[in-house]
Amino acid sequence: MRGMIFKGDREVEVLNFDDPIPGPGEVVIEMKASGMCGSDLHPYRLGQQEVIKSMGFKDMASRGLDESAPVIGGHEPCGVVAETGPGVNPKAFRKGDRVMVFHYEGCSCCNECRTGWTQLCEEGAAPHGLILHGGHAEYMKVPASCLVHLPDGMSFAGGAAVTCGTSTAWGALLRLDISARDQLVVYGLGPVGLSAVQLASAMGVEVIGVDISTSRMQQAIEFGATHVINGMEQDPVEQVHKLSAGKGVSCAMDCAGTEITRLQAIRSTSTWGKIALVGIGNQLSADAMKDVIRRQRTIIGSYTFSEVAMKNCAQFIVDHDVKVDDLFTDYWRLDQADEAYKSFDKQSGGKGVFIF
């Protein structure tokens, strides 16, 4: 089979790999869609090992893996069960099932793994597309425990979005305990931020979007945002307060991951406001008394989502007719991988996906 690897320094390569054979408790997925996530740009630019170190994951050697062996990239996989190994319950998964892949593997025994938070595994999580083979390939072998059924009515591309970016937004909304009584401001209208706009709007929440891209701001309006603010042209904190009777909104989400937007998200909220930090990287610099304590604000770290949340997110999208496919602006074939990532690296468009 063919699979794409990140070489670092903005280079990718499509290589030939042995076709995977499922072992006990494992399944092989015939890939139908594999999404491109903003976090894929880290191994694309820096290389696999640098990202493993920076993210604090255990290195490959400590897991008995060959650090020199190429690892297939991509952690938003969606496809069809092609083959099941011994011990896979046929009542759970069988050949032909449409499935999404939860993109972490753990020890399966600790409390975090048992509750579906494998990325927080006490023994150290191993993400697909970085330490273990990912979805930018024709086939992918994973434990059956990583699979979630793709609901009827959802496309494979939509399922790929749910396996990471869209469910990350869903997870943050759950952490905020948001409802139609709230006003929400979303800083950063990339795929995760736009997913937050879509999902929160479907919940009946009034949403304000902040970005510096006019095309993303327009997309946010199309996805249900009531207001959008250009952070390059206006002071977003000032504008958010104007749009919320001078008090600030009840909830904020930072999907940009910069020091500036994190502080702006905090200062956009009212007294008792809740802020979910979602974007990866950089520091948080806030005045503990002025920005947090005296305003009784709650700052929440939101790191992706649980397997149960992924399943519930997908069902919510189907039940509420959320147009998750509209997130995608670019569809690629695997042999276009170099062109696809060069385009995605510019960060001027929307979300890309490989279709098989």
Side-chain angles (χ1 to χ4, degrees):
M1 71 170 191
R2 297 180 306 152
M4 190 220 79
I5 66 167
F6 293 114
K7 299 178 70 176
D9 199 24
R10 291 177 164 85
E11 291 186 12
V12 302
E13 186 175 2
V14 177
L15 303 175
N16 289 318
F17 292 82
D18 292 337
D19 290 343
I21 299 173
E26 296 179 330
V27 298
V28 171
I29 307 301
E30 180 183 354
M31 208 55 54
K32 297 297 183 182
S34 183
M36 300 167 69
C37 178
S39 59
D40 287 326
L41 293 176
H42 299 301
Y44 176 65
R45 295 166 179 169
L46 302 175
Q48 173 189 5
Q49 289 303 317
E50 287 300 316
V51 176
I52 290 172
K53 292 175 184 176
S54 67
M55 293 294 289
F57 295 118
K58 290 185 177 180
D59 61 32
M60 297 178 69
S62 70
R63 297 177 177 276
L65 301 172
D66 182 358
E67 290 189 17
S68 64
V71 174
I72 297 169
H75 61 270
E76 295 189 344
C78 189
V80 173
V81 175
E83 190 177 355
T84 61
V88 175
N89 185 346
K91 293 182 179 180
F93 297 102
R94 64 183 65 190
K95 185 175 181 178
D97 283 355
R98 292 162 19 105
V99 292
M100 303 174 286
V101 180
F102 187 80
H103 63 275
Y104 295 94
E105 295 183 28
C107 71
S108 77
C109 296
C110 70
N111 288 341
E112 307 300 349
C113 285
R114 288 180 181 274
T115 54
W117 288 95
T118 313
Q119 67 271 44
L120 304 178
C121 175
E122 294 172 9
E123 298 298 321
H128 298 140
L130 193 61
I131 292 177
L132 304 173
H133 285 321
H136 289 354
E138 293 167 328
Y139 293 93
M140 182 180 184
K141 182 177 71 173
V142 296
S145 58
C146 289
L147 298 183
V148 173
H149 286 282
L150 181 67
D152 292 338
M154 179 173 284
S155 72
F156 288 113
V162 170
T163 59
C164 186
T166 296
S167 286
T168 294
W170 174 265
L173 293 172
L174 294 182
R175 296 277 282 134
L176 288 169
D177 191 26
I178 206 162
S179 74
R181 71 183 184 274
D182 290 300
Q183 276 184 300
L184 170 71
V185 60
V186 179
Y187 280 85
L189 298 174
V192 174
L194 287 172
S195 293
V197 172
Q198 283 186 307
L199 294 169
S201 297
M203 296 174 183
V205 178
E206 181 183 336
V207 183
I208 303 168
V210 181
D211 206 286
I212 59 175
S213 165
T214 55
S215 62
R216 287 180 172 182
M217 291 164 60
Q218 178 58 41
Q219 199 169 8
I221 291 291
E222 294 168 2
F223 283 179
T226 306
H227 308 280
V228 290
I229 299 167
N230 189 320
M232 288 288 285
E233 298 178 357
Q234 296 176 299
D235 180 338
V237 175
E238 181 180 312
Q239 293 302 311
V240 169
H241 279 261
K242 285 182 179 179
L243 294 169
S244 54
K247 296 180 179 180
V249 295
S250 56
C251 295
M253 186 184 301
D254 171 53
C255 299
T258 71
E259 260 188 281
I260 293 173
T261 55
R262 284 175 176 163
L263 185 58
Q264 289 172 333
I266 293 169
R267 291 179 175 174
S268 292
T269 61
S270 60
T271 301
W272 302 104
K274 294 179 289 185
I275 305 96
L277 303 183
V278 180
I280 295 174
N282 295 294
Q283 302 296 313
L284 171 62
S285 299
D287 184 316
M289 290 301 296
K290 175 183 175 183
D291 294 322
V292 184
I293 296 173
R294 286 179 180 167
R295 301 301 298 274
Q296 301 277 18
R297 289 172 171 140
T298 301
I299 299 173
I300 300 166
S302 186
Y303 184 39
T304 61
F305 48 91
S306 70
E307 292 178 62
V308 173
M310 187 172 94
K311 177 182 178 181
N312 292 341
C313 177
Q315 195 60 53
F316 178 89
I317 287 168
V318 171
D319 291 345
H320 293 79
D321 195 26
V322 177
K323 306 298 185 184
V324 67
D325 285 51
D326 290 350
L327 286 167
F328 294 101
T329 57
D330 299 291
Y331 292 80
W332 304 96
R333 300 185 308 275
L334 190 60
D335 57 13
Q336 295 176 298
D338 182 64
E339 180 186 356
Y341 270 97
K342 279 183 167 58
S343 175
F344 191 43
D345 189 39
K346 296 176 182 177
Q347 292 289 274
S348 57
K351 189 172 179 65
V353 60
F354 291 102
I355 297 296
F356 298 85

